[in-house]
Amino acid sequence: MDSFQKDIDERANLALSNKFELLLFRLGEGQHGGKSELYGINVFKLREIVPMPKINRAAGMMSPLLGMANIRDQFIPVIDLPAVTGCTPKTGLNLLLITEYARSTQAFAVESVENIIRLDWSQVHAAESGVSSRNITSIASLNSDEYKGELALVLDVEQILYDIIPSGRKVDMAAIEGNTNPLKPGAVAIVAEDSKVARQMLEQGLKGMGIPVMMHSTGLEAWEKIKLIAAEAKAAGQPITDRIGMVLTDIEMPEMDGFTLTRNIKSDIVLKQIPVVIHSSLSGSANEDHVRKVGANGYVAKFDVKELSQVINKALEGAVV
């Protein structure tokens, strides 16, 4: 168990090479029986793994919330992950994955933990066209000897938390009332975000700020669009900032992560003029250090729309060339 919990900061350095580590775990048999599926969550989100403690269930609390657990003198909500995904554990709920997400802490109950594997984001593909579950954001192709040919379903934590606690994930439009579009007339914001619910919330917030957006579900998709617009701007004799006012990107994304997307933009002599803001549920000093290393103009944790507005305005002011 300890091997899963050490050297998290060292693993953070993988992000600078479009790599990450995925914690693999199982939740039991699916709705139609058969082999137990492999699920995954980015190690960045993981604080620790603990044996199932005593759960205190509050009056009126309903599935998939199991109750509250005292973890190191902190009471945190426990979510029954098999119940969320429609699985039935064969041996029960044996472990808690303690995660830190968007400045909050929660625990996910699982049947078993298997391993941590290192992957390139190019091995991870968006799941929207191939998987019906709303709780899966992407599919990872595993290439190790142990799992060769197997797939791991990567959970959409944003969607799960939004469904369970929707009031805590609403966009506070009153916080940005009166904001005006800070971009040049005709310019748009390119947004890269793999979670469907996060894209919806970002689009709502940015439109509330008067910012026109182009939404993309992977970093690679956003990068291809940026290159296309750059070619069109060059042909028209326009500066790129007349077409793209800013880029707003998540960190964790299939095919190309946000750090790689940002580095691609900032290493290009033309594109580097575009302000880039990283918007992520992954908090911590290691990620903020990476934001500076790749040359991003700002960083904000999900989902504080007021802070997002402030960071965008500050990034745009500081990005004038």
Side-chain angles (χ1 to χ4, degrees), residues 101-104 158 167-177 179 193 198 201-202 204-206 209 248 277-282 299-313:
Y101 164 83
R103 298 174 178 170
S104 66
E158 285 100 334
S167 61
R169 296 289 180 263
K170 289 182 179 178
V171 178
D172 182 10
M173 300 304 292
I176 55 173
E177 189 174 347
N179 281 28
E193 168 62 63
M201 296 175 75
L202 282 174
Q204 183 183 354
L206 291 171
M209 300 174 204
L248 180 63
V277 172
I278 291 179
H279 179 250
S280 177
S281 62
L282 301 176
Y299 174 86
V300 61
K302 298 176 181 178
F303 282 107
D304 189 328
V305 71
K306 182 177 180 180
E307 184 178 348
L308 176 61
S309 175
Q310 292 170 344
V311 171
I312 286 174
N313 282 296

Side-chain angles (χ1 to χ4, degrees), residues 174-208:
I176 55 173
E177 189 174 347
N179 281 28
T180 57
N181 179 11
L183 306 187
K184 290 181 181 180
V188 301
I190 300 291
V191 178
E193 168 62 63
D194 66 325
S195 169
K196 183 178 180 180
V197 68
R199 285 199 304 275
Q200 292 171 342
M201 296 175 75
L202 282 174
E203 186 169 18
Q204 183 183 354
L206 291 171
K207 286 186 175 179

Side-chain angles (χ1 to χ4, degrees), residues 111-132:
E111 181 176 38
S112 63
V113 165
E114 291 217 353
N115 206 346
I116 284 178
I117 59 169
R118 185 169 296 184
L119 296 171
D120 190 285
W121 277 111
S122 63
Q123 296 173 246
V124 183
H125 306 283
E128 290 178 292
S129 60
V131 175
S132 59

Side-chain angles (χ1 to χ4, degrees), residues 166-301:
S167 61
R169 296 289 180 263
K170 289 182 179 178
V171 178
D172 182 10
M173 300 304 292
I176 55 173
E177 189 174 347
N179 281 28
T180 57
N181 179 11
L183 306 187
K184 290 181 181 180
V188 301
I190 300 291
V191 178
E193 168 62 63
D194 66 325
S195 169
K196 183 178 180 180
V197 68
R199 285 199 304 275
Q200 292 171 342
M201 296 175 75
L202 282 174
E203 186 169 18
Q204 183 183 354
L206 291 171
K207 286 186 175 179
M209 300 174 204
I211 298 175
V213 298
M214 289 185 178
M215 308 297 296
H216 305 278
S217 59
T218 75
L220 183 59
E221 183 183 322
W223 175 236
E224 294 298 333
K225 186 66 174 180
I226 290 167
K227 290 192 295 182
L228 177 62
I229 294 175
E232 293 172 348
K234 182 179 180 180
Q238 290 180 296
I240 185 60
T241 49
D242 281 1
R243 298 287 188 99
I244 302 176
M246 64 168 291
V247 171
L248 180 63
T249 179
D250 188 16
I251 294 177
E252 299 179 284
M253 288 181 294
E255 300 174 346
M256 179 187 291
D257 68 15
F259 287 137
T260 302
L261 174 61
T262 303
R263 188 170 57 248
N264 286 352
I265 293 169
K266 293 301 182 180
S267 63
D268 185 282
I269 193 168
V270 174
L271 301 178
K272 67 180 182 180
Q273 302 174 63
I274 303 171
V276 178
V277 172
I278 291 179
H279 179 250
S280 177
S281 62
L282 301 176
S283 57
S285 59
N287 287 310
E288 293 181 22
D289 286 343
H290 291 333
V291 167
R292 288 187 286 271
K293 287 178 182 178
V294 297
N297 301 87
Y299 174 86
V300 61

Side-chain angles (χ1 to χ4, degrees), residues 4-126:
F4 291 132
Q5 299 172 21
K6 65 182 180 179
D7 299 329
I8 298 299
D9 288 339
E10 184 178 326
R11 290 182 179 124
N13 292 321
L14 292 171
L16 295 179
S17 57
N18 203 44
K19 297 180 185 294
F20 73 110
E21 288 191 329
L22 191 70
L23 174 75
L24 298 178
F25 56 90
R26 297 192 188 270
L27 302 176
E29 289 187 351
Q31 293 176 326
H32 304 292
K35 185 179 179 181
S36 176
E37 293 278 9
L38 267 177
Y39 288 85
I41 188 171
N42 194 329
V43 171
F44 266 155
K45 284 190 168 79
L46 185 67
R47 193 177 82 183
E48 61 181 320
I49 304 169
V50 299
M52 179 63 71
K54 177 183 178 182
I55 304 294
N56 300 296
R57 190 177 186 89
M61 190 171 284
M62 300 176 62
S63 178
L65 280 173
L66 288 175
M68 306 292 290
N70 185 347
I71 307 295
R72 305 188 191 285
D73 296 323
Q74 179 185 10
F75 280 91
I76 62 176
V78 177
I79 297 166
D80 182 346
L81 206 46
V84 170
T85 59
C87 294
T88 303
K90 296 179 181 179
T91 62
L93 298 174
N94 302 311
L95 298 169
L96 289 186
L97 309 183
I98 313 300
T99 64
E100 293 182 349
Y101 164 83
R103 298 174 178 170
S104 66
T105 303
Q106 52 282 313
F108 291 101
V110 303
E111 181 176 38
S112 63
V113 165
E114 291 217 353
N115 206 346
I116 284 178
I117 59 169
R118 185 169 296 184
L119 296 171
D120 190 285
W121 277 111
S122 63
Q123 296 173 246
V124 183
H125 306 283

